[in-house]
Every structure is written in C-alpha cells, then in structure tokens.
Amino acid sequence: MDMAAEKEPNENKSVVNSQDPAPQPVIFNPEFFVERLKHERPQVFTELVLSNITRLIDLPGDEFAQLTGEADPRLPTAHTGFLRSLNFLKRKDKGVVFGAPLTEEGIAQIHQLIEYLSKNLHVEGLFRVPGHSLRQAALREMLNAGTEIDLETGDFHPNDAATLLKAFLGELPEPLLTHRHYHAYLKIAELTQFDEKGNKTSVPDKERQIEAFQLLFMLLPPANHSLLKLLLDLLYHTARNQHNNKMSAINLATMVAPHIIWPKHVQASDLQGNIKKLNNAVAFLIKHSQKLFRAPVYVKEHAHMHFKGSTTSQFTDGLALCGGGAHPSPSKRAGEAVTCTDGTTSSNTHTELALRELYQQVSSMPESAKKKKLIRQFAKQVPGTPLSDQQTLYSHRKHRRSRSFGGIRRRALGTQGPVETASSSLVTPGSSSSADRQEKEDSSFGWDSSSLKRMCFSPTQETSV
C-alpha cells in the first residue's frame, strides 16, 4: 500500500509534465492564396491580372504584346547613341553586384546601404548631394566582393551610400521597373477623373492609379519586386523627413526616376516630353508606397475561391474576373462551362453578389462608349444582371418555340394530313380519339394542351386565340 501510494504522486507528476504546451496563435496571411495561385497556376494568375489591367488602362495591341512579353519592347531611341555607349563602356568592370543582373545575392549586399540610409534620414540633401568619389570607390569594391560592411564606424558618409545606391540602380542591365512595363506606366500617369458630363478632367484618379500599380507590380520578377519594395519604403520615409533633409517626394523622384524607370541608354532629350509624366509617376509611387504592394480585394477573393470555392464560370472576357468568379482554362472553348472540383455546376452566392455590385459600379459610370461596351459584355457573359436576365428569358422563350415546333408538327400531322389551324371548336367528333392520344403523348413530355397551342401558333395567331 505504501509503495502504491508513493507511485501515485509520480504518475500524476508525469501526466502534468506530458501536457502539450499552449497552442501558438495562427497568423493568417491575407496574400496566401494569391501567392499560391501565382506559383501553382501561373497562367491563370497572369490572365487574371492582365484582364484587370486592361480594364483600367487602354493598351493597343502592340503595347499589350510588349507587356505580356510576346513582343520586344519599343522604347525611345537615343539620338546620341555613340557618346552614350562610350560613357557606358567607361564604367567599372562588372562585378557580383554592380552592372550584373539583379539577383537575391546582389539585393542582400545593397540592403546594407538601404539599412544604413534608413538610420540617417535627417541628412540634408540626401540623394541629391553627391558623396566623395574615393570613399565611394572603396565602398563599391567591398560590396562587389560580397563583404559584410560595418557602415556605423564613420568611415563613410550617408551621401556616399545614397550616391552608390543610385549608381547600382543605374547600372542594372534593365530598369528596376522593366522595359516591358514602360508604356503601361505612361498610361497610368494619364488616368484622370471624369466630370458629371462624362468628360475627362485634369484631376488624377488616385484610386484607379493605385489599383493599376498594384496589379502591375504583381507581374514584376521576384527580385525586382523585392528591391522595389525596399527602395520605395526608404524613399517614403525620406520624404516624411523633408523638414530636415529638404527632400520632398517630387525632389526624390527627380533624382531616382532616371535610374529606375527611364529606358536604358537614353537622355532627357530622347523622351520627348514624357519626363514630367515619369517623374510624377515615381513621386506618386513614393507617396503611396505603403498601399502598392497589396493585392486588390477582388484578386484575393478570386484566388481564395479558386482553391476553396465551388463555382461554375462561363466567362471568356477578363471583365468577369473582376468579381472573382472561377476562371476558365485556356483550353476551354468560348462559352463552355467550367466544371467545379466537386462536380457541381451551381453558382456561388458570393460570386453573384460581387458581380452584381460590379455591374452597379459600371452602371454608375459617366455615359461613354467604354461604358456601353462594358454593359454589352455584361449582358452577354455575366448572369444575374438585369440585361442578361432579360436576354436569357427572351432567348429561352424563342428557343423553346423554334426547337419544339418541328417535332410537334410532325407528331400532330402523322398520316392524317395538314394540321388544323382553327380552334378546338372545329375538331370533328371522329378525331377525338386521336386528339386524346396526342394529348397523352404531349403530357408525357411535360406539356399541357394550352402550352402546346401557344407553341404551335405564330405570335399573331396566339394573340387572336
């Protein structure tokens, strides 16, 4: 008994110790399904983003082909190409970082400069005042060698780091914002609001611009996307300290735009009046950088429903994707339904509500040719809208008459001759048995006699009856 009593506390103690630790809170990433769609279904993801970009900005066929990579970018050409190329050849030899294609290794080295600058935002003229050339050369060599640098020792000045960061961006083989997106950036800069009469104004449409940049940034290569986010975040906080450093967003954009958005090997005179647009676009990116790296709500919903939802989509136009419905496979023919993963073909209530909200938004747009085109596309492809409901009802009614008339006429004729076109009062007594048989046959198909008469007669006869 004593031994058993001694064992019980030990057993209880072991039970207490074996209890699992408290579960850690689960942090949900709202972009999880977007990233999953991007990696597991890249073609669906790209079509979703492109369809919504073209909804916001008008891209002609050649510019759209450049955006998708189907055509080589057509960029402004340099009138002083020889001198420009000569200056480019005079640069330092290519290393691991400077002059090399953008890689994660290069970003890790440049991040040392960004981190150092983020601690010295108070320096007046940051990104405008050049640093010391000898210190920059030494720092450049250390970065190219992959050295981990302690910039807090005082051997280097923040202006050295800022000038070297601009040099790194300027020596990339392709601008950070890529040549493929160049024309799209110009079109986004032109997005303005409409007045009550539907005419364009000079007031920028910030909401549409933010949405367009969000979509466009989702198409950037991963390395470009990562560095752009780090750079814009640094410039955003630099502009917020303009009371100390005297560098506003437009001042910073003027210093940085030639290195991240201008086409390579061109000068200011080659851009033919687009410099102001490009500088303003970069200033806009700096001001709104905290919103630009989020996926739009409808993209998140579409990605979530792609993996979790069970809907059927008959949409072939990108407009339907704005509401977040299931996306058809490219191999599907136009108008062919996409079957859900669970085998059902019923529409999801959430999708229908989103589509109707989108239809209302389009309806509230000012009267224009684009609005009429969108309304027609809704009427053709998006179920649940007023126009599509009316067209569906009409098409079903017309289809029922044309499809059923031939079969009913053949069954009604048989070998008895022409069909009687008079009312039931003209039927002879001898034909009552055949009429009964015909009525039974019609009832087996789910039709009653009144509907049969409506389907046999023309609209004019139906009205008279």
Side-chain angles (χ1 to χ4, degrees):
M1 295 291 293
D2 294 338
M3 293 177 63
E6 291 177 358
K7 288 182 178 180
E8 289 178 0
N10 294 334
E11 293 177 356
N12 294 336
K13 185 176 181 180
S14 63
V15 171
V16 172
N17 293 337
S18 65
Q19 290 181 353
D20 296 332
Q24 298 295 328
V26 178
I27 301 177
F28 175 71
N29 179 14
E31 307 283 339
F32 170 76
F33 289 106
V34 177
E35 293 297 323
R36 182 180 174 188
L37 183 67
K38 183 176 181 179
H39 290 89
E40 296 184 10
R41 302 288 189 274
Q43 187 173 2
V44 174
F45 173 82
T46 303
E47 290 178 355
L48 170 64
V49 175
L50 288 175
S51 63
N52 284 282
I53 289 177
T54 55
R55 175 177 56 86
L56 295 169
I57 57 177
D58 295 326
L59 289 174
D62 56 340
E63 294 181 2
F64 181 78
Q66 295 174 47
L67 177 62
T68 59
E70 298 176 0
D72 295 332
R74 296 182 181 179
L75 305 170
T77 56
H79 300 291
T80 56
F82 174 75
L83 296 177
R84 187 71 177 177
S85 300
L86 182 61
N87 292 333
F88 181 77
L89 292 174
K90 289 181 179 179
R91 292 176 178 172
K92 298 290 184 179
D93 295 335
K94 292 183 179 180
V96 177
V97 178
F98 291 86
L102 190 60
T103 61
E104 294 296 336
E105 182 182 0
I107 295 176
Q109 287 296 97
I110 294 301
H111 185 261
Q112 298 181 82
L113 300 179
I114 296 176
E115 188 176 10
Y116 174 63
L117 290 171
S118 65
K119 300 176 183 178
N120 295 274
L121 301 177
H122 63 280
V123 177
E124 185 174 347
L126 196 63
F127 288 99
R128 177 175 55 82
V129 178
H132 194 276
S133 59
L134 294 179
R135 292 196 302 259
Q136 291 178 41
L139 183 56
R140 180 191 186 104
E141 185 176 353
M142 296 171 68
L143 290 171
N144 260 338
T147 307
E148 185 176 350
I149 309 169
D150 185 6
L151 296 172
E152 302 293 341
T153 59
D155 296 336
F156 301 98
H157 192 272
N159 289 336
D160 301 330
T163 304
L164 208 56
L165 177 57
K166 291 192 299 181
F168 165 77
L169 295 170
E171 294 181 24
L172 288 173
E174 185 182 25
L176 184 62
L177 293 174
T178 71
H179 284 143
R180 288 169 52 177
H181 298 178
Y182 174 75
H183 293 288
Y185 294 129
L186 293 176
K187 292 296 180 67
I188 294 175
E190 298 173 355
L191 290 176
T192 56
Q193 297 180 2
F194 293 87
D195 57 18
E196 296 179 353
K197 298 181 180 180
N199 301 320
K200 293 187 66 174
T201 65
S202 59
V203 181
D205 193 336
K206 295 182 180 180
E207 296 301 324
R208 291 170 63 200
Q209 289 178 330
I210 290 175
E211 183 182 352
F213 278 123
Q214 286 176 335
L215 294 167
L216 206 57
F217 286 176
M218 296 172 72
L219 298 178
L220 287 173
N224 296 57
H225 187 275
S226 300
L227 181 58
L228 180 64
K229 190 174 187 304
L230 293 172
L231 177 64
L232 290 181
D233 190 64
L234 171 65
L235 297 176
Y236 169 79
H237 288 95
T238 303
R240 293 194 63 181
N241 284 268
Q242 61 178 314
H243 56 282
N244 293 323
N245 55 41
K246 312 302 181 186
M247 295 299 292
S248 61
I250 188 62
N251 291 338
L252 291 169
T254 304
M255 296 293 104
V256 176
H259 305 291
I260 67 173
I261 196 172
W262 284 22
K264 290 296 181 181
H265 314 315
V266 298
Q267 294 180 340
S269 58
D270 304 322
L271 296 178
Q272 298 179 354
N274 288 328
I275 295 179
K276 185 176 181 180
K277 287 183 182 179
L278 297 175
N279 290 347
N280 289 338
V282 175
F284 185 88
L285 297 181
I286 294 173
K287 294 178 182 178
H288 302 278
S289 62
Q290 308 304 304
K291 302 178 182 179
L292 301 179
F293 295 92
R294 310 170 187 170
V297 176
Y298 53 82
V299 174
K300 296 178 185 178
E301 293 178 352
H302 177 90
H304 184 272
M305 294 173 61
H306 183 85
F307 294 104
K308 297 296 183 181
S310 58
T311 59
T312 297
S313 176
Q314 295 180 347
F315 309 141
T316 58
D317 186 79
L319 179 66
L321 297 175
C322 306
H327 186 76
S329 171
S331 61
K332 295 287 184 180
R333 298 187 303 272
E336 184 175 352
V338 178
T339 307
C340 311
T341 54
D342 59 355
T344 61
T345 57
S346 60
S347 299
N348 186 281
T349 305
H350 182 76
T351 306
E352 295 177 356
L353 293 176
L355 290 172
R356 294 194 180 195
E357 291 177 1
L358 183 60
Y359 176 79
Q360 294 175 358
Q361 181 179 358
V362 172
S363 301
S364 63
M365 291 172 57
E367 293 297 333
S368 62
K370 185 174 183 180
K371 176 183 177 180
K372 294 179 181 179
K373 180 180 178 182
L374 295 176
I375 292 294
R376 288 196 300 267
Q377 290 176 340
F378 261 104
K380 292 179 180 179
Q381 299 178 2
V382 182
T385 58
L387 289 178
S388 65
D389 291 342
Q390 294 175 6
Q391 290 193 1
T392 302
L393 179 60
Y394 176 77
S395 61
H396 286 180
R397 183 176 59 200
K398 182 177 180 180
H399 185 61
R400 185 172 65 245
R401 287 179 178 174
S402 60
R403 180 182 59 182
S404 305
F405 179 77
I408 296 173
R409 183 174 180 274
R410 286 192 297 270
R411 287 195 300 271
L413 283 174
T415 57
Q416 303 297 326
V419 178
E420 295 291 338
T421 58
S423 62
S424 58
S425 61
L426 299 179
V427 178
T428 59
S431 62
S432 59
S433 58
S434 61
D436 294 338
R437 287 195 302 271
Q438 181 65 40
E439 184 175 357
K440 291 180 181 180
E441 181 179 355
D442 294 337
S443 63
S444 65
F445 285 91
W447 298 323
D448 56 8
S449 58
S450 60
S451 63
L452 181 60
K453 291 177 182 179
R454 288 197 300 270
M455 296 167 69
C456 290
F457 296 144
S458 65
T460 305
Q461 292 171 331
E462 181 181 344
T463 305
S464 62
V465 172

